[in-house]
Amino acid sequence: MSESARKEHEMNKMSLFLGCVIPNRYPGIEKSTKLCLEKLDIDCVDLEGASCCPAPGILRSFDKTTWLALSSRNITLTEDLGRDILTICNGCYGSLSDANNELKADEDLKESVNSHLAAVDREFKGTQDIRHITEFLYQEIEPGNIRELVTQPLEIRVAVHYGCHLLKPSKERTGMSVERPSFFDELVEATGAVSVDYQDKMECCGAGGGVRSALSDEALALTEHKLSMIEAAGVDCIVNACPFCHMQLDVGQTDLNERDGTEHSIPVLHYTQLLGLAFGYTVEELGIDLNSTLNKAFFEMIEERP
Amino acid sequence: MSATNGSTFLSRLDKTGTDILKCMHCGVCTGSCPSGRHTSLNVRNLLRKARKGESVLSDETLWTCTTCYNCQERCPRGINIVDAIFEIRAIAVHEGIILPEHHTVGKLLIEHGHAVPINAENKAKREALGMDALPPTVHSFPDALSEVRKLLANCKFDELISNE
C-alpha cells in the first residue's frame, strides 16, 4: 500500500457494528470481516453492547419514534468512542445512516429523540459518521491497494448483488450511481475475479421490507427470478454486501429446491468472504461451508488453487 | 374516528410529499416495482387510494413492498413514495393491524434486543469458527439489554406490541 493511502486511512478509526443476522445466523461473515480488517490494517474495535439497528423494513414501519430512539442509542455508543461506525449489512447501514442524517439535519427531531434517550442517560450529539464496508474500502483504501495485498487471486466469474439499501434512497447514501454503479464490481475484481453482467442485476433479492419474514412465498418469487437471471449468465458464485440478501439468496435456493424439486446450487459469499479467499484463508476458516446452499465443485475449485 | 377517514391520516401523508396533485399517474413507480412484477402490489394505485381517503390499512399489498426504493428514485415528481408507505404502515400498526410474523419480530426485539437473536445452532457454529458463543452485542452485555428495554418502554413500544 502506498504511503499516502496508508496515511489517509489511518485517520479513520472505526467501530464494527454487527447487527443481528451476521453474528446470529452467519458468524462466518463476522470472522471473515475481522480477518480482512486485520490484513488491511484498519483500526476497528467491536461496538460492544449494540442492539438491532433496528431493522428498517419492519420496525421502522411500526413506529418511527422507536426506530429513531434505538438507532440513535447505537450511535451514541460510537460517539462515546469517538469512532465512526463500520457496517457490514445494507439494512444496518440504511437504518443507522438514515437516522444519523435525519437527526443531524433536524434540531427539533434531535431534541425529541434526546428526551427519550435521557431515560437511559444518553444523548445523541451527531459527531460521527456511518459507513458501509464496500463504500469505505472503495473510498478510503481503494481497489488498487487491495489488489496489491491479494496473495491468491481468484480466477472466478462472479454475479455481484449490490442490494437496495446500499445505494437507496440516494439522497441519504454514497452519492454513487443508483442505476449503474461500479464501485462494488471494482472491489470484486480487485480479488482477481471477473464481475459478470447479468439481466436485472440491480433488482431486489425479495427479502426487505418485512416481506421475507411474513410473506415468504412473495419474497421467494422475487428471489427465483433473480436466481434465474444469475444462472443464465453462468457464474461460479454470487457476492453480496448484506447478510439479509445473503440469507435470502442462500436459504432461498434450498427453500425453492424443497418446494419445487429444483436444483439451484449457486454458492453465496459476502464480500469479506471473497476477499478472505483472495488473502489466502480457507473456505472453512471463512465459514463459507456453513451456508445452506453447499456446492462441492466450488469448494474443490477454490482448494485446488495454486 | 378511524385514521383512514380522519384528517390526521392525510396530514401525515402530506409530510411525505405524496400530495395527490403532484402525482401525474405516469405509472413509473408501478413499472419499476420488482415486487409488482411477481405480486399484486400496484404502488401507484395504493397511494391513489390512500390519498382519496379509501381504506388501505388492511390492504395486504401494503406489506409486499420490499422498500427497494426504485419507485421513489425514479418518480419524475420527486414524491417520497416509500416514506409514504412507511407512514401508512405505521398508522395500520397503531390501529392494531399487524401480521402475526411481524408481531413476533417486535416481541423478539423487546426480549433480546435483536430482531434475529442467537440460537443453539449458531452458538455451535460460532464456537466451531473459534469465536465466542455469544457476539459482543447486547447478547453479551446484560446492562446494555436492560437499557434497550428501558428505552423501548419509554417509547411505548412494548404497549404497541402487546396491543394485539
PDB file of all heavy atoms in Angstrom, chain A residues 154-166:
ATOM      1  N   LEU A 154      -8.316 -14.784  -7.393  1.00  0.00           N
ATOM      2  CA  LEU A 154      -9.410 -15.708  -7.685  1.00  0.00           C
ATOM      3  C   LEU A 154      -9.781 -15.610  -9.158  1.00  0.00           C
ATOM      4  O   LEU A 154     -10.230 -14.564  -9.606  1.00  0.00           O
ATOM      5  CB  LEU A 154     -10.622 -15.345  -6.818  1.00  0.00           C
ATOM      6  CG  LEU A 154     -10.400 -15.470  -5.320  1.00  0.00           C
ATOM      7  CD1 LEU A 154     -11.419 -14.650  -4.556  1.00  0.00           C
ATOM      8  CD2 LEU A 154     -10.456 -16.928  -4.905  1.00  0.00           C
ATOM      9  N   GLU A 155      -9.575 -16.706  -9.863  1.00  0.00           N
ATOM     10  CA  GLU A 155      -9.937 -16.665 -11.275  1.00  0.00           C
ATOM     11  C   GLU A 155     -11.331 -17.245 -11.437  1.00  0.00           C
ATOM     12  O   GLU A 155     -11.530 -18.337 -11.956  1.00  0.00           O
ATOM     13  CB  GLU A 155      -8.894 -17.420 -12.106  1.00  0.00           C
ATOM     14  CG  GLU A 155      -7.586 -16.640 -12.158  1.00  0.00           C
ATOM     15  CD  GLU A 155      -6.446 -17.426 -12.767  1.00  0.00           C
ATOM     16  OE1 GLU A 155      -6.671 -18.546 -13.249  1.00  0.00           O
ATOM     17  OE2 GLU A 155      -5.315 -16.899 -12.741  1.00  0.00           O
ATOM     18  N   ILE A 156     -12.308 -16.501 -10.925  1.00  0.00           N
ATOM     19  CA  ILE A 156     -13.687 -16.997 -10.978  1.00  0.00           C
ATOM     20  C   ILE A 156     -14.612 -15.931 -11.537  1.00  0.00           C
ATOM     21  O   ILE A 156     -14.271 -14.748 -11.577  1.00  0.00           O
ATOM     22  CB  ILE A 156     -14.195 -17.429  -9.567  1.00  0.00           C
ATOM     23  CG1 ILE A 156     -14.084 -16.265  -8.561  1.00  0.00           C
ATOM     24  CG2 ILE A 156     -13.420 -18.640  -9.072  1.00  0.00           C
ATOM     25  CD1 ILE A 156     -14.702 -16.589  -7.213  1.00  0.00           C
ATOM     26  N   ARG A 157     -15.805 -16.396 -11.965  1.00  0.00           N
ATOM     27  CA  ARG A 157     -16.827 -15.497 -12.504  1.00  0.00           C
ATOM     28  C   ARG A 157     -17.867 -15.228 -11.409  1.00  0.00           C
ATOM     29  O   ARG A 157     -18.419 -16.152 -10.817  1.00  0.00           O
ATOM     30  CB  ARG A 157     -17.503 -16.146 -13.719  1.00  0.00           C
ATOM     31  CG  ARG A 157     -16.599 -16.225 -14.949  1.00  0.00           C
ATOM     32  CD  ARG A 157     -17.166 -17.181 -15.987  1.00  0.00           C
ATOM     33  NE  ARG A 157     -18.514 -16.811 -16.438  1.00  0.00           N
ATOM     34  CZ  ARG A 157     -18.765 -15.901 -17.380  1.00  0.00           C
ATOM     35  NH1 ARG A 157     -17.772 -15.285 -17.987  1.00  0.00           N
ATOM     36  NH2 ARG A 157     -20.006 -15.627 -17.730  1.00  0.00           N
ATOM     37  N   VAL A 158     -18.095 -13.957 -11.144  1.00  0.00           N
ATOM     38  CA  VAL A 158     -18.940 -13.568 -10.014  1.00  0.00           C
ATOM     39  C   VAL A 158     -20.157 -12.758 -10.477  1.00  0.00           C
ATOM     40  O   VAL A 158     -20.035 -11.875 -11.326  1.00  0.00           O
ATOM     41  CB  VAL A 158     -18.122 -12.703  -9.021  1.00  0.00           C
ATOM     42  CG1 VAL A 158     -19.022 -12.048  -7.984  1.00  0.00           C
ATOM     43  CG2 VAL A 158     -17.046 -13.537  -8.344  1.00  0.00           C
ATOM     44  N   ALA A 159     -21.320 -13.093  -9.898  1.00  0.00           N
ATOM     45  CA  ALA A 159     -22.507 -12.240 -10.064  1.00  0.00           C
ATOM     46  C   ALA A 159     -22.552 -11.325  -8.852  1.00  0.00           C
ATOM     47  O   ALA A 159     -22.753 -11.785  -7.727  1.00  0.00           O
ATOM     48  CB  ALA A 159     -23.770 -13.081 -10.133  1.00  0.00           C
ATOM     49  N   VAL A 160     -22.319 -10.040  -9.060  1.00  0.00           N
ATOM     50  CA  VAL A 160     -22.347  -9.088  -7.947  1.00  0.00           C
ATOM     51  C   VAL A 160     -23.789  -8.688  -7.673  1.00  0.00           C
ATOM     52  O   VAL A 160     -24.549  -8.376  -8.588  1.00  0.00           O
ATOM     53  CB  VAL A 160     -21.504  -7.837  -8.287  1.00  0.00           C
ATOM     54  CG1 VAL A 160     -21.654  -6.774  -7.191  1.00  0.00           C
ATOM     55  CG2 VAL A 160     -20.038  -8.199  -8.455  1.00  0.00           C
ATOM     56  N   HIS A 161     -24.168  -8.745  -6.400  1.00  0.00           N
ATOM     57  CA  HIS A 161     -25.502  -8.281  -5.985  1.00  0.00           C
ATOM     58  C   HIS A 161     -25.301  -7.119  -5.005  1.00  0.00           C
ATOM     59  O   HIS A 161     -24.845  -7.342  -3.885  1.00  0.00           O
ATOM     60  CB  HIS A 161     -26.277  -9.436  -5.335  1.00  0.00           C
ATOM     61  CG  HIS A 161     -27.587  -9.008  -4.733  1.00  0.00           C
ATOM     62  ND1 HIS A 161     -28.700  -8.756  -5.502  1.00  0.00           N
ATOM     63  CD2 HIS A 161     -27.955  -8.764  -3.451  1.00  0.00           C
ATOM     64  CE1 HIS A 161     -29.707  -8.373  -4.710  1.00  0.00           C
ATOM     65  NE2 HIS A 161     -29.273  -8.366  -3.465  1.00  0.00           N
ATOM     66  N   TYR A 162     -25.604  -5.920  -5.443  1.00  0.00           N
ATOM     67  CA  TYR A 162     -25.397  -4.743  -4.580  1.00  0.00           C
ATOM     68  C   TYR A 162     -26.372  -4.732  -3.400  1.00  0.00           C
ATOM     69  O   TYR A 162     -25.994  -4.391  -2.287  1.00  0.00           O
ATOM     70  CB  TYR A 162     -25.592  -3.440  -5.378  1.00  0.00           C
ATOM     71  CG  TYR A 162     -24.395  -3.016  -6.193  1.00  0.00           C
ATOM     72  CD1 TYR A 162     -24.094  -3.629  -7.406  1.00  0.00           C
ATOM     73  CD2 TYR A 162     -23.560  -1.980  -5.760  1.00  0.00           C
ATOM     74  CE1 TYR A 162     -23.002  -3.233  -8.165  1.00  0.00           C
ATOM     75  CE2 TYR A 162     -22.460  -1.568  -6.513  1.00  0.00           C
ATOM     76  CZ  TYR A 162     -22.183  -2.202  -7.714  1.00  0.00           C
ATOM     77  OH  TYR A 162     -21.106  -1.801  -8.445  1.00  0.00           O
ATOM     78  N   GLY A 163     -27.640  -5.072  -3.668  1.00  0.00           N
ATOM     79  CA  GLY A 163     -28.680  -4.923  -2.646  1.00  0.00           C
ATOM     80  C   GLY A 163     -29.167  -3.486  -2.617  1.00  0.00           C
ATOM     81  O   GLY A 163     -28.410  -2.557  -2.916  1.00  0.00           O
ATOM     82  N   CYS A 164     -30.427  -3.307  -2.267  1.00  0.00           N
ATOM     83  CA  CYS A 164     -31.086  -1.993  -2.430  1.00  0.00           C
ATOM     84  C   CYS A 164     -30.539  -0.912  -1.501  1.00  0.00           C
ATOM     85  O   CYS A 164     -30.231   0.192  -1.926  1.00  0.00           O
ATOM     86  CB  CYS A 164     -32.572  -2.145  -2.195  1.00  0.00           C
ATOM     87  SG  CYS A 164     -33.326  -3.359  -3.296  1.00  0.00           S
ATOM     88  N   HIS A 165     -30.452  -1.232  -0.213  1.00  0.00           N
ATOM     89  CA  HIS A 165     -30.222  -0.157   0.760  1.00  0.00           C
ATOM     90  C   HIS A 165     -28.769   0.304   0.865  1.00  0.00           C
ATOM     91  O   HIS A 165     -28.459   1.230   1.598  1.00  0.00           O
ATOM     92  CB  HIS A 165     -30.781  -0.576   2.127  1.00  0.00           C
ATOM     93  CG  HIS A 165     -32.263  -0.831   2.056  1.00  0.00           C
ATOM     94  ND1 HIS A 165     -32.901  -1.782   2.812  1.00  0.00           N
ATOM     95  CD2 HIS A 165     -33.220  -0.277   1.285  1.00  0.00           C
ATOM     96  CE1 HIS A 165     -34.184  -1.793   2.513  1.00  0.00           C
ATOM     97  NE2 HIS A 165     -34.404  -0.890   1.590  1.00  0.00           N
ATOM     98  N   LEU A 166     -27.903  -0.351   0.087  1.00  0.00           N
ATOM     99  CA  LEU A 166     -26.529   0.152  -0.016  1.00  0.00           C
ATOM    100  C   LEU A 166     -26.528   1.470  -0.797  1.00  0.00           C
ATOM    101  O   LEU A 166     -25.704   2.351  -0.549  1.00  0.00           O
ATOM    102  CB  LEU A 166     -25.671  -0.904  -0.735  1.00  0.00           C
ATOM    103  CG  LEU A 166     -24.212  -0.573  -1.041  1.00  0.00           C
ATOM    104  CD1 LEU A 166     -23.456  -0.217   0.228  1.00  0.00           C
ATOM    105  CD2 LEU A 166     -23.538  -1.755  -1.729  1.00  0.00           C
TER     106      LEU A 166
END
